[in-house]
Amino acid sequence: MLLFDIILIFMIIGTIIAVETKNMLSAVVAVGAVGFGVSLLFLYLRAPDIAITQVIVEVLSLIILIRVATHVDNVAIERRIDNFANMTGLIFIGLFIAFCIWAFTDVIPFANPLMRVSQHYLDAGLRETGAANIVAAVILDYRAYDTLGEAVVIFTSILGAFVILRSKGKKKLSEEDDITVGILEDA
Amino acid sequence: MLQYLLDMIIFALGIYCLIAKRHIIKKIIGMCIIEYSINLFLILLGYRMHGIAPIILPEMNNSYFAQYSVDPLPQALVLTSIVIGLGTLALMAAFAIKLYEKYRTFDMSEIHRLRG
């Protein structure tokens, strides 16, 4: 329990540094620290599959973020301070934390999960699917359509990024069209 | 309870970063932080005291495993969510690079010239 609190406080400190620092490269490195803290916490929460995935995704997203952050200028442009946005954000944080304190009295207590659905997976997962890893049994057998949807979403987003980053179209503006459609004037 | 609150503080800081900062990369960073905190919250909901990972080892019998394993369902769904987060991050980074190439700035308050 104390270990979880220590790692979470480390992550809060990393988040504050990432939000408030002026240099963009420092902010990206602080986000990397938060991400690896999340990965470490997944490992201690008995979720080794997610810890491995989080490390890989974290390395890739750090590469992408550093590519954007060092694109040209990596210094924040905070010449005039936007008081309205700052006050709105701070008021929202206060209201949100107060709401969380009120709402978490009704949520199930920590380390005492509600296993109404997944108890069946734990009881019969090995017999029904033959997989020793129940997480793999859920994502590849019980909820395989979910994984298919995930693959579709990733394909669409990578396709979108590819289309956006393409520097020019395939056909030049001065190029003539090969075929003619529509009503010809002097046919 | 305390773990949930600390996690929600990270979420609120991400929302603040998304609202109040004007740099586009800061906004992307805020989205990343929100995503981390929500994934972590779902995993925290499935943790069991003195639990074991949901992997059956050869020396375990099934009733011991079903009594002590942590919840596998949030882990499976968060696994999907983490990988989708990478895809959306790549899309946001591509938009940021294109916006810089068009407007020569990362400042959100400068990017307001809509042309039709």
Side-chain angles (χ1 to χ4, degrees):
Chain A
M1 289 296 187
L2 186 62
L3 185 66
F4 298 157
D5 294 342
I6 290 170
I7 298 176
L8 276 166
I9 288 170
F10 167 74
M11 284 169 54
I12 290 175
I13 294 170
T15 307
I16 292 172
I17 292 173
V19 171
E20 287 302 327
T21 186
K22 293 281 186 246
N23 193 336
M24 279 305 130
L25 201 54
S26 313
V28 170
V29 171
V31 168
V34 176
F36 284 112
V38 172
S39 169
L40 198 63
L41 199 50
F42 282 159
L43 200 58
Y44 282 113
L45 286 167
R46 310 290 190 271
D49 301 297
I50 309 184
I52 295 168
T53 313
Q54 176 72 35
V55 167
I56 296 169
V57 167
E58 187 58 40
V59 170
L60 286 176
S61 58
L62 272 187
I63 291 171
I64 293 171
L65 277 176
I66 286 175
R67 166 73 178 81
V68 185
T70 59
H71 193 231
V72 259
D73 52 345
N74 55 1
V75 179
I77 15 101
E78 300 287 335
R79 281 186 297 275
R80 63 176 196 279
I81 297 173
D82 195 352
N83 276 320
F84 177 71
N86 277 334
M87 288 309 292
T88 313
L90 287 176
I91 289 172
F92 174 77
I93 286 181
L95 282 177
F96 183 75
I97 296 300
F99 175 75
C100 282
I101 292 173
W102 173 69
F104 283 156
T105 57
D106 288 337
V107 178
I108 53 171
F110 184 62
N112 189 12
L114 188 69
M115 308 265 289
R116 203 170 293 155
V117 176
S118 49
Q119 195 64 49
H120 173 73
Y121 297 153
L122 291 179
D123 287 334
L126 183 60
R127 178 166 46 81
E128 287 180 355
T129 66
N133 190 345
I134 303 297
V135 175
V138 172
I139 63 171
L140 293 179
D141 194 308
Y142 288 114
R143 293 174 189 241
Y145 282 121
D146 197 5
T147 311
L148 179 66
E150 171 204 356
V152 171
V153 170
I154 291 172
F155 176 72
T156 312
S157 66
I158 297 300
L159 197 67
F162 181 71
V163 168
I164 290 166
L165 282 180
R166 193 174 63 187
S167 57
K168 59 180 74 169
K170 281 184 179 169
K171 184 163 138 336
K172 292 189 178 65
L173 276 178
S174 57
E175 197 174 312
E176 291 289 330
D177 287 336
D178 289 338
I179 55 171
T180 313
V181 293
I183 301 168
L184 300 179
E185 286 184 356
D186 46 359
Chain B
M1 175 74 190
L2 180 62
Q3 285 84 11
Y4 296 160
L5 270 182
L6 290 175
D7 191 39
M8 281 304 130
I9 288 173
I10 298 175
F11 179 85
L13 283 171
I15 288 277
Y16 170 73
C17 188
L18 198 59
I19 291 174
K21 299 294 173 184
R22 288 184 300 153
H23 203 288
I24 290 183
I25 298 172
K26 277 288 176 72
K27 286 179 188 287
I28 295 176
I29 284 171
M31 284 291 290
C32 282
I33 289 168
I34 291 171
E35 190 190 306
Y36 293 153
S37 75
I38 292 300
N39 290 339
L40 187 56
F41 181 65
L42 292 176
I43 297 295
L44 280 172
L45 279 178
Y47 180 69
R48 175 178 282 182
M49 183 68 84
H50 306 299
I52 56 175
I55 298 171
I56 301 177
L57 297 178
E59 64 267 17
M60 289 176 188
N61 60 354
N62 211 347
S63 62
Y64 172 81
F65 173 73
Q67 192 181 355
Y68 284 103
S69 171
V70 299
D71 198 348
L73 190 55
Q75 299 193 9
L77 298 182
V78 165
L79 197 66
T80 308
S81 162
I82 287 174
V83 183
I84 286 176
L86 181 64
T88 54
L89 175 70
L91 192 60
M92 283 190 288
F95 271 120
I97 290 175
K98 265 305 180 201
L99 277 176
Y100 186 84
E101 283 178 2
K102 186 162 174 59
Y103 290 101
R104 291 286 147 199
T105 178
F106 273 137
D107 194 346
M108 267 318 264
S109 59
E110 301 285 329
I111 305 172
H112 51 69
R113 289 171 291 165
L114 287 176
R115 290 189 215 124

